Amino acid sequence: MLLNGTGEVIDDYEYPATTEELIAEHGDRTLELPNGSETVAEVLARLESETFENPEDARFAVYSAVSDKAIGRVGYSDRDPTPVGSPYAPDAVSF
């Protein structure tokens, strides 16, 4: 995810800060995601009202609330076996 300078403005903001204050101040900033983009307002609107004590809490809130536009292939994992019936399952090979 490319924060396009959003991380720096979050870091420079005066804390504690509420979700609403961050939306009012930085809601129009765009986050470029692998499969599109979203504004900070769209992302933070998914959360309940919260007071962030420091910039790290605010950053984690943004990271946790982005949509599936932020992930690559939905359902993909190179560590887990492919679930039975998954459309991403490889073709069966018979020996």
Side-chain angles (χ1 to χ4, degrees), residues 20-65:
E20 293 77 15
E21 291 170 341
L22 290 175
I23 290 172
E25 188 68 28
H26 304 297
D28 61 338
R29 297 192 69 87
T30 301
L31 305 173
E32 295 298 329
L33 307 170
N35 297 312
S37 63
E38 295 181 320
T39 65
V40 171
E42 291 170 325
V43 171
L44 290 178
R46 294 185 184 108
L47 303 174
E48 294 182 15
S49 183
E50 185 174 347
T51 299
F52 304 106
E53 297 299 324
N54 55 56
E56 186 176 74
D57 291 346
R59 275 182 182 248
F60 286 146
V62 171
Y63 291 149
S64 70

Side-chain angles (χ1 to χ4, degrees), residues 2 11 13 18 24 30 34 71 73 84:
L2 300 177
D11 289 345
Y13 199 76
T18 65
T30 301
I71 59 174
R73 196 168 85 200
V84 175

